């Protein structure tokens, strides 16, 4: 099956966003990251800051916060409403070839055979150095910040998808960007889109 | 860090063994799979059949079987003794560039920066077709056979390593061989060994 969409799930600080941009450049297709957040904000009336955080991470209350959240007449909490709108935006964007960064796109598009689903991760030391250098995070305790972010994404992913975040079997390919390098990760992913449809030499 | 060793963990029927052989051919290094089993058998007095099964899979009794196993004067059950000898053989073989298939080599060599650790998996339908066609498994219920094998490897891996089998964070790279193709998986892994040490373009 020809591939036309790349979804990128990534640990905070692993370089997944940069890899997404590079893959999109190599393939000559749009990369939706910030634009995805803006689009969801536009369609929900929620602030971009709220969509950015709550569209792929649980609040500090974790799973309990989801359970206790106030619900509207439709039975949905704000985060559940956001989830349904975000899914709709992802499905809309995935009508054309593109790269989708974050937002549980691997799950939303799990039954689409034209997708390469990628998970990018790296050791905390690699990510800590990166978030201080590139995102301007304070250097006081970047490891603590990473652990919080990881936990928030894991809880959100489990709540909305019922799956374990970072289990190899959810993705076409998982890459340790700290070991492999950001540029080479992008090469591998672009190659998987370009190369599909070629024969498999196994006898 | 230059890479010289590839460890391949794989789901039964995913083509990991074939991928290992192809990677070794591409790199011009030995691939230890059957030879590894023979070597461990030679050094323990255990039969090759016992080493093949128990060196990476739990018996039908699962974790309980490990807990209840009879122990020798050294406090080790037969499977624990096998584990210590198998680790020693893996460390010995890993003194020179090679490909190591199975045997929890990813865990045994986890602190070696010169390794590419790969996990190969695929959907049950892909693996079921493959084990019937290539291994001559009876076609009656290949899915049941796969589920048993998966369970036995998962229980063994958890008992001896304390880690979850198939968690992306245990490996440099995880690949869905059913989606990507056996030949292309081998290309990616060989590329990761050849390509290391090149500059990373990230700014």
């Amino acid at each position: 099956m020809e591939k036309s969409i790349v979804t990128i799930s990534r640990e905070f600080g692993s370089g997944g966003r940069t890899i997404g941009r590079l893959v999109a450049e190599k393939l000559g297709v749009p990369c939706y990251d910030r634009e995805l957040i803006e689009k969801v904000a536009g369609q929900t009336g929620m602030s971009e800051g709220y969509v950015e955080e709550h569209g792929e991470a649980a609040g500090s209350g974790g799973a309990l916060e989801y359970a206790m959240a106030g619900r509207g007449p439709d039975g949905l909490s704000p985060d559940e409403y956001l989830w349904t709108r975000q899914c709709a935006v992802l499905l809309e964007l995935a009508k054309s070839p593109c790269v989708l960064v974050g937002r549980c796109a691997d799950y939303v598009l799990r039954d689409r055979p034209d997708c390469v689903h990628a998970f990018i991760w790296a050791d905390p030391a690699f990510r800590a150095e990166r978030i201080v250098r590139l995102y301007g995070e304070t250097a006081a305790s970047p490891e603590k910040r990473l652990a919080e972010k990881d936990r928030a994404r894991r809880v959100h992913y489990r709540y909305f998808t019922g799956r374990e975040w970072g289990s190899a079997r959810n993705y076409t390919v998982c890459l340790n960007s700290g070991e492999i390098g950001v540029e080479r990760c992008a090469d591998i992913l672009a190659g998987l889109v370009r190369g599909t449809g070629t024969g498999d030499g196994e006898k």
Side-chain angles (χ1 to χ4, degrees), chain A:
Chain A
M1 174 82 195
E2 293 278 320
K3 305 293 184 187
S4 59
I5 309 278
V6 178
T7 72
I8 298 193
S9 308
R10 74 286 180 238
E11 288 187 343
F12 186 62
S14 68
R17 178 177 294 190
T18 306
I19 291 169
R21 270 207 312 272
L22 290 170
V23 172
E25 272 171 33
K26 286 170 198 293
L27 298 174
V29 302
C31 175
Y32 298 115
D33 172 16
R34 193 75 232 168
E35 303 76 2
L36 214 165
I37 293 164
E38 288 165 12
K39 221 174 172 78
V40 175
Q43 292 195 10
T44 56
M46 290 168 160
S47 75
E48 289 179 20
Y50 191 91
V51 172
E52 181 167 13
E53 273 305 301
H54 290 251
E56 61 179 12
S60 57
L64 193 63
E65 199 168 299
Y66 286 128
M68 305 290 282
R71 284 172 161 74
D74 56 2
L76 298 179
S77 71
D79 284 4
E80 288 165 354
Y81 170 72
L82 166 57
W83 172 259
T84 63
R85 295 296 86 204
Q86 190 167 275
C87 288
V89 168
L90 285 166
L91 290 168
E92 181 65 32
L93 291 173
K95 287 182 178 168
S96 315
C98 65
V99 175
L100 297 163
V101 178
R103 314 281 124 189
C104 308
D106 62 292
Y107 176 79
V108 179
L109 301 173
R110 66 195 177 283
D111 294 326
R112 283 272 299 261
D114 57 341
C115 291
V116 170
H117 299 299
F119 179 73
I120 310 292
W121 72 282
D123 286 336
F126 174 84
R127 296 190 286 141
E129 187 278 329
R130 240 182 128 270
I131 65 173
V132 171
R133 177 167 52 88
L134 298 177
Y135 303 176
E137 293 274 345
T138 58
S141 180
E143 290 80 3
K144 188 159 170 276
R145 173 96 173 119
L146 288 174
E148 285 166 4
K149 281 282 215 178
D150 287 350
R151 178 178 167 281
R153 287 190 185 170
R154 187 172 58 245
V155 170
H156 177 276
Y157 192 78
R158 191 183 295 143
Y159 183 81
F160 284 101
T161 74
R163 310 202 298 191
E164 281 304 308
W165 190 53
S167 169
R169 296 175 184 87
N170 297 344
Y171 309 95
T172 318
V173 53
C174 304
L175 301 168
N176 177 339
S177 57
E179 281 283 304
I180 295 171
V182 163
E183 185 76 46
R184 185 169 294 272
C185 287
D187 281 339
I188 290 171
L189 298 185
L192 286 175
V193 174
R194 287 200 204 101
T196 45
T198 64
D200 190 311
E202 186 184 21
K203 289 291 169 297

